[in-house]
Amino acid sequence: MADQIELASPPFDSVSSVKFSPTNPNHLLASSWDTTVRFYDVAANEQKAKFDHRAAVLACCFSDANHGYSGGLDTSVRELDLQTEKINHLGQHSDAISSMNFSREQNTLITGSWDRTIRFWDPRASNSQQSSHDLPERVYNMDLVNHILVVAMASRLFHIYDIRKMDSPAQIRESMLKFMTRALACMPDGQGYATGSVEGRIAVEYFDPSPQAQEKKYAFKCHRQTIDDVDHVWPVNSLAFHPVYNTFASAGSDGTVSIWDHKSKKRLRQYPKYNAPVPSIAFNCDGTKLAVGVSYTWEEGEEGAKTAERPAIFIKNVGDEVKPKGWTGS
């Protein structure tokens, strides 16, 4: 069994997001700047469906085994039928959609946009948009665990909501990191979240506002390298928590993916470097595979695009390296 496979028929332009199905460990959605969302069966290494959009797609997610959602620069919220390849337009933001999450408990799609709103959608309702909530800044990232929604915005601002009570945020925080937020992921155990910045740092934070819980938060440098006595620093583009072990993976523009145990504050593994930046990663629902989107992320501008490798998506088989030391079960 190979350590990883490369998916056939990858996107033609940079990968913006990879997301696995909540129920099928082999089903993957990938959104791209090539204006498509592609649906793959990674076990068969086959593209099962492709959905065309009018502009770059920045975000995608699943609701159940047969439906996905997408959003991006054309501002439209789309429901994707993965069986029939039909697209259903649910509605519109007034600027690009940067992120989306699906709450299975509430059967609700939540979208975040540069238009400074988060909106809630019920795909089954005739008027899909259920509510819109104004924010002080553009939404860059969102993640959801249980009923807790974490929203990362411009100006290093964070709002934490209980999605059952959206009239005001439960907590407002400023990022522990000095630079722009580029990545966000919630812990599957519901205790907190990790964020990454464009300046090669990750912060681990906890929801519980008590001083004891807040003492555990910390930040560390990563995705850096010293070359000829010069420090090179890359953005942390994506974070993903393991669904079983609560460890997490980070991906950077240095082309590396690392596994971290935030309890022991140690790196468990750094995988061999890819030949281009890694904009997005995701674990599958049973934690046996890690999807790794590899593509140029424009750090070198137009110049770098000329020599950039073509985009690729790798599916890595995950082993004991994602287990914390001395793991004995939850």
Side-chain angles (χ1 to χ4, degrees):
M1 185 164 149
D3 171 34
Q4 67 178 12
I5 61 157
E6 184 175 347
L7 289 183
S9 29
F12 297 120
D13 201 343
S14 298
V15 179
S16 54
S17 178
V18 288
K19 294 274 178 76
F20 272 107
S21 159
T23 51
N24 186 322
N26 293 315
H27 283 176
L28 180 78
L29 285 176
S31 59
S32 168
W33 286 81
D34 74 357
T35 76
T36 68
V37 171
R38 292 159 195 264
F39 174 47
Y40 297 99
D41 179 333
V42 303
N45 195 353
E46 182 189 352
Q47 179 180 295
K48 308 281 277 184
K50 177 164 82 83
F51 299 88
D52 291 310
H53 297 61
R54 292 195 306 276
V57 189
L58 302 185
C60 61
C61 69
F62 280 88
S63 58
D64 56 33
N66 299 319
H67 295 90
Y69 297 92
S70 62
L73 296 187
D74 68 12
T75 73
S76 172
V77 180
R78 290 174 174 80
E79 181 179 44
L80 315 173
D81 188 315
L82 305 175
Q83 302 316 108
T84 64
E85 293 197 54
K86 284 200 165 60
I87 294 181
N88 177 22
H89 290 265
L90 298 183
Q92 210 103 17
H93 273 270
S94 53
D95 203 340
I97 297 163
S98 57
S99 48
M100 46 177 49
N101 302 96
F102 193 86
S103 165
R104 292 167 79 193
E105 287 86 2
Q106 306 264 345
N107 203 48
T108 299
L109 175 71
I110 305 167
T111 56
S113 166
W114 298 347
D115 69 7
R116 303 182 183 211
T117 66
I118 37 185
R119 303 189 190 198
F120 282 53
W121 311 83
D122 179 351
R124 297 164 310 176
S126 53
N127 183 12
S128 298
Q129 185 176 308
Q130 302 293 295
S131 62
S132 177
H133 308 277
D134 291 330
L135 294 166
E137 272 293 358
R138 299 183 302 285
V139 176
Y140 285 164
N141 304 90
M142 299 190 306
D143 201 18
L144 181 67
V145 59
N146 307 325
H147 293 291
I148 304 171
L149 178 71
V150 182
V151 184
M153 291 170 269
S155 306
R156 301 169 39 254
L157 190 61
F158 282 78
H159 278 189
I160 300 168
Y161 291 94
D162 179 332
I163 59 170
R164 298 164 298 186
K165 195 176 154 304
M166 287 297 297
D167 48 347
S168 66
Q171 297 183 45
I172 296 176
R173 296 185 180 183
E174 190 177 85
S175 172
M176 280 172 71
L177 307 175
K178 290 196 189 73
F179 291 83
M180 182 172 122
T181 309
R182 175 65 70 82
L184 165 69
C186 288
M187 299 174 189
D189 66 4
Q191 298 293 303
Y193 58 96
T195 65
S197 78
V198 294
E199 189 253 348
R201 277 176 210 264
I202 290 171
V204 176
E205 301 228 27
Y206 294 88
F207 294 131
D208 180 348
S210 74
Q212 296 89 323
Q214 289 305 308
E215 263 172 23
K216 293 192 295 187
K217 72 180 184 183
Y218 73 106
F220 61 95
K221 295 178 186 176
C222 52
H223 297 285
R224 294 162 176 247
Q225 204 184 340
T226 305
I227 306 167
D228 301 333
D229 294 334
V230 178
D231 287 337
H232 292 254
V233 180
W234 283 275
V236 179
N237 295 322
S238 185
L239 296 166
F241 276 89
H242 192 276
V244 181
Y245 303 124
N246 212 46
T247 50
F248 69 92
S250 67
S253 288
D254 58 344
T256 67
V257 175
S258 289
I259 306 289
W260 308 90
D261 178 357
H262 59 92
K263 294 262 169 33
S264 68
K265 302 188 178 180
K266 285 192 167 58
R267 177 158 65 190
L268 300 176
R269 172 71 61 91
Q270 180 170 316
Y271 293 123
K273 193 172 186 287
Y274 292 94
N275 59 8
V278 182
S280 185
I281 52 173
F283 282 108
N284 66 352
C285 58
D286 63 7
T288 56
K289 292 182 165 72
L290 180 71
V292 182
V294 179
S295 57
Y296 183 53
T297 45
W298 291 87
E299 271 87 20
E300 317 294 325
E302 209 56 72
E303 214 34 54
K306 292 175 187 159
T307 55
E309 298 280 336
R310 64 178 181 78
I313 298 172
F314 293 93
I315 306 296
K316 207 166 193 27
N317 290 307
V318 172
D320 284 348
E321 72 275 8
V322 296
K323 273 190 196 175
K325 299 280 182 281
W327 173 265
T328 53
S330 59

